[in-house]
Amino acid sequence: MHSRLYTRVLNQYAWVQSCSAFQSTFNNTGLIGISAACDPRYAPDMLDVMCRELETVTRCAGDGDGPVYVLCTVMFAACWA
C-alpha cells in the first residue's frame, strides 16, 4: 500500500524525484505541508502539482473553514505570486 502522494504524484509524473508530506502539532495547533524535488526546469509544474494536492486535502477535510483551508490559501498565494 502506498500513500496518496506516491500514487497521485510519483507514479504520474516521471520528472518528480521525491514528494512527501510532513506534519507538526503542538498545543492544539499544527502545520501540514508537502516537500518535493524535481529538475529545476519542472519547478513551475511541481508547484502546480503540489497546490493541486493540497487543494484535494482541503476538499477531503470537510467544510473548508478549518486550518487546512487557511494553509492552502497561503500556499496558493505563494504559488501564484
Side-chain angles (χ1 to χ4, degrees), residues 17-31:
Q17 297 168 358
S18 71
C19 188
S20 60
F22 62 87
Q23 61 86 23
S24 176
T25 57
F26 181 74
N27 282 348
N28 296 326
T29 63
L31 173 69

Side-chain angles (χ1 to χ4, degrees), residues 54-68:
L54 285 172
E55 181 182 23
T56 301
V57 171
T58 64
R59 285 196 304 266
C60 295
D63 61 9
D65 292 327
V68 174

Side-chain angles (χ1 to χ4, degrees), residues 22-51:
F22 62 87
Q23 61 86 23
S24 176
T25 57
F26 181 74
N27 282 348
N28 296 326
T29 63
L31 173 69
I32 62 166
I34 300 174
S35 61
C38 66
D39 189 283
R41 67 178 173 227
Y42 292 108
D45 296 323
M46 188 75 248
L47 280 174
D48 288 339
V49 170
M50 293 170 72
C51 287

